[in-house]
Amino acid sequence: MSEVTITVRGEHEERVAPERATIRVSVRAEGPERATTVDTAMRLAEPLRASLSARKEAGTVREWSSQNFSVRAERPWNADGKRLAPVFYASIDFTATFDEASELSIWISDVSSWDGVEVGAVDWHLTAETAARIEREVAAAAVGVAVSRAQAYAGALGLEEMTPIEIADAGLISSGQPPAPMMKARGAMAFSADSAPSMEYEPEEIVVSATVEARFAAR
């Protein structure tokens, strides 16, 4: 049998526990006067800053920041269709990164009942070093799957010698179009609240996956 070109796809996926949790929390205030509304937002934000600073010193918060401050005004309409005086809205956004889900739960249970505090989403993620290592391992495993498939096809044809010609991220060989991201990580947040102001954040495993396409010449 003459040379045969074999094109295959290899996939691999790993699930790993997240190492970090980054929470977004906002402080919001509203009122009829801009200056008063801003002052209220700043006053409500101060206990949050103090709490995060104390937890960072204690080592339960890895890092935190408060960089986004915004003020806007809206003129509502009354039931008669008349525009009313402006209402001002001020907000201050915080982000904080925790190493432990239990510490995150304790902190959120504490601050969620404070005036003006709104708790946002949690981003579960890995450290840069771990993410890079897992991505390398998953990519190598995906290539191994592609090689095994190609060897199976070649063996079915009675061919023993196989030479790699091309390997690429999914979509590059088959269509020539730019590939989707080779590695995808996703996490989710689950919480429960009872009559008391308490929440429990349970991290989901982060899924890291890779898909490659490979072309071989079999003889």
Side-chain angles (χ1 to χ4, degrees), residues 53-136:
S53 295
R55 288 183 175 273
K56 188 174 190 305
E57 291 179 3
T60 57
V61 168
R62 177 164 294 270
E63 59 185 5
W64 70 275
S65 64
S66 175
Q67 299 178 345
N68 297 326
F69 172 77
S70 64
V71 182
R72 62 184 175 86
E74 293 183 3
R75 295 190 63 185
W77 300 83
N78 66 10
D80 299 326
K82 180 181 178 180
R83 273 284 330 238
L84 303 179
V87 177
F88 293 90
Y89 300 87
S91 64
I92 303 173
D93 298 330
F94 292 80
T95 60
T97 300
F98 289 75
D99 289 332
E100 298 290 339
S102 59
E103 292 294 338
L104 171 65
S105 298
I106 292 171
W107 185 72
I108 291 301
S109 296
D110 184 23
V111 305
S112 59
S113 61
W114 295 0
D115 289 344
V117 172
E118 295 182 5
V119 178
V122 175
D123 174 30
W124 304 102
H125 53 95
L126 303 170
T127 63
E129 294 79 8
T130 300
R133 175 178 59 81
I134 296 297
E135 288 178 357
R136 288 194 301 269

Side-chain angles (χ1 to χ4, degrees), residues 114-197:
W114 295 0
D115 289 344
V117 172
E118 295 182 5
V119 178
V122 175
D123 174 30
W124 304 102
H125 53 95
L126 303 170
T127 63
E129 294 79 8
T130 300
R133 175 178 59 81
I134 296 297
E135 288 178 357
R136 288 194 301 269
E137 293 173 356
V138 170
V143 172
V145 172
V147 171
S148 296
R149 285 180 176 172
Q151 289 174 336
Y153 292 154
L157 295 172
L159 305 175
E160 299 180 354
E161 182 181 349
M162 194 174 66
T163 303
I165 299 174
E166 189 174 7
I167 186 167
D169 292 345
L172 282 180
I173 291 179
S174 60
S175 65
Q177 298 298 317
M182 188 175 70
M183 301 296 176
K184 296 184 291 183
R186 60 183 182 271
M189 174 273 290
F191 68 90
S192 61
D194 53 23
S195 56

